[in-house]
Amino acid sequence: MARGPSDPCCHLWDGALRSPKEPLCFPTLAGLSPGLQSSLSPWTSAGPWRDWAEPSGTMVGLKPSEVPPTTAVKFLGAGTAACFADLFTFPLDTAKVRLQIQGENQAAHVAQSIHYRGVLGTILTMVRTEGPRSPYNGLVAGLQRQMSFASIRIGLYDSVKQFYTPKGSDHSSITTRILAGCTTGAMAVTCAQPTDVVKVRFQASVQLGARSDRKYSGTMDAYRTIAREEGVRGLWKGTLPNVTRNAIVNCGEMVTYDIIKEKLLDYHLFTDNFPCHFVSAFGAGFCATVVASPVDVVKTRYMNSPLGQYRSPLDCMLKMVAQEGPTAFYKGKEEKDGTDVRKCP
């Protein structure tokens, strides 16, 4: 049986790539001599052609795995991804901390001649006065925080969301997603709070030679020193405002992300692709920052404060308003906008 390139059913000769759903016409053995049929039979029934053609005449291709990733894979994947993101955004986070504590009385004796202004200005001032490594002060504690915080907050999110979703429901409501986000966020903050305290204190410490206010020789020394001087509770200092901030961020990000994305699609400004997701995430991060920034500033100052400076987060907030005015609540907001985008859905 002769077949050539002009034969529309002969796809092995024309070399065209075919999709897995397209039929693959295979030359049949009918019409061939009995001897030739017996020679070709092993190739079509049990040989290599069996891997490419099914009895139904459809091509078999590689199929994506239908098994969802396990909780352990999500846990490790979320933490690892957050660590890589932190390597790029850590200088922005350090600049945010410096701006948030600027104007506080306890730091005035060290940095009275230093004034930070804006994102780039803060980073450049740090590099000029403290060296090129200063924007990465506290990076080790920051990576430890991401591995513990992001792993729990993001890695366990789907499992907790399924737990809150009513049985028989195909989709999770906004309320369910917010509740799941707040739950995993509170769990993550509770576990990662010591790393956050150490990270903030390294980022806030100013190193100006003999006038350096750095108290810790390293990350592990910081854990030991804080526990020795302030008690074990000192490592969990600021947990309440941190949980509150995380709840506000989760609610703000999730709701505004869905609303912005929905409007972009309804008005046909974007299709459901990466630019649409990025714009939605940027807008959600901005809105969440505007709402959560006051709590974030109080959290940073309270965690960085020495023993006895503030009686409570509320005392910290009242003193800040009395001494610096309400605009102090939005110190470091520009840097926070940049670091919040990576955490949106």
Side-chain angles (χ1 to χ4, degrees):
M1 180 178 63
R3 293 183 185 272
S6 60
D7 193 328
C9 197
C10 187
H11 306 302
L12 299 178
W13 291 6
D14 59 19
L17 297 175
R18 309 190 61 78
S19 67
K21 294 182 179 179
E22 260 185 300
L24 174 64
C25 298
F26 196 86
T28 63
L29 301 181
L32 299 180
S33 64
L36 188 55
Q37 287 185 24
S38 60
S39 300
L40 295 177
S41 179
W43 287 82
T44 58
S45 61
W49 297 117
R50 188 178 180 86
D51 297 333
W52 293 89
E54 291 181 322
S56 60
T58 59
M59 177 177 283
V60 179
L62 296 176
K63 297 180 180 179
S65 175
E66 297 179 356
V67 180
T70 63
T71 302
V73 172
K74 294 179 183 178
F75 193 88
L76 294 175
T80 303
C83 286
F84 276 107
D86 217 30
L87 292 174
F88 294 96
T89 62
F90 199 82
L92 296 177
D93 193 46
T94 303
K96 178 207 72 170
V97 171
R98 291 293 179 93
L99 287 170
Q100 287 179 334
I101 66 171
Q102 185 167 246
E104 211 174 8
N105 288 336
Q106 66 99 11
H109 68 285
V110 176
Q112 57 184 351
S113 61
I114 299 177
H115 183 73
Y116 303 115
R117 187 184 299 274
V119 185
L120 185 60
T122 300
I123 296 176
L124 292 177
T125 300
M126 292 178 61
V127 171
R128 184 176 66 253
T129 58
E130 303 173 52
R133 297 175 60 182
S134 58
Y136 282 92
N137 286 342
L139 178 62
V140 175
L143 296 179
Q144 292 173 350
R145 175 185 178 275
Q146 292 297 350
M147 278 304 299
S148 52
F149 180 83
S151 297
I152 297 174
R153 178 178 179 258
I154 302 175
L156 299 182
Y157 173 77
D158 288 334
S159 300
V160 175
K161 183 176 69 174
Q162 292 175 4
F163 175 79
Y164 285 133
T165 302
K167 292 184 178 180
S169 178
D170 295 333
H171 301 285
S172 301
S173 63
I174 291 291
T175 304
T176 300
R177 283 184 282 176
I178 291 175
L179 186 59
C182 292
T183 301
T184 56
M187 295 167 56
V189 167
T190 303
C191 294
Q193 187 66 14
T195 63
D196 205 5
V197 171
V198 172
K199 176 187 76 74
V200 167
R201 294 198 179 186
F202 270 104
Q203 289 175 318
S205 63
V206 180
Q207 302 180 59
L208 298 176
R211 293 190 297 165
S212 175
D213 66 342
R214 186 166 182 173
K215 298 174 56 178
Y216 316 114
S217 60
T219 305
M220 299 310 298
D221 179 63
Y223 290 118
R224 290 191 296 265
T225 303
I226 293 173
R228 183 176 64 251
E229 295 181 354
E230 305 175 36
V232 177
R233 292 181 59 183
L235 292 171
W236 272 268
K237 193 172 187 178
T239 301
L240 181 59
N242 209 358
V243 171
T244 304
R245 171 196 165 275
N246 184 77
I248 294 174
V249 168
N250 273 330
C251 295
E253 281 184 351
M254 287 186 170
V255 174
T256 54
Y257 178 87
D258 284 339
I259 292 175
I260 293 173
K261 181 180 175 183
E262 180 182 347
K263 295 303 180 182
L264 291 175
L265 296 177
D266 288 346
Y267 287 98
H268 305 289
L269 299 176
F270 289 95
T271 57
D272 193 359
N273 52 16
F274 175 76
C276 177
H277 299 171
F278 180 82
V279 172
S280 302
F282 191 88
F286 176 82
C287 294
T289 299
V290 171
V291 177
S293 182
V295 184
D296 191 46
V297 175
V298 173
K299 177 212 75 169
T300 299
R301 291 198 174 191
Y302 188 66
M303 288 196 301
N304 184 56
S305 64
L307 190 64
Q309 182 176 1
Y310 302 116
R311 294 192 302 271
S312 65
L314 180 61
D315 180 55
C316 175
M317 180 189 71
L318 295 176
K319 287 183 177 179
M320 184 170 63
V321 174
Q323 296 173 3
E324 304 171 56
T327 57
F329 285 128
Y330 288 94
K331 289 186 174 182
K333 185 184 79 66
E334 295 84 356
E335 290 73 16
K336 199 72 182 71
D337 290 341
T339 56
D340 263 345
V341 171
R342 70 171 188 259
K343 299 183 293 185
C344 291

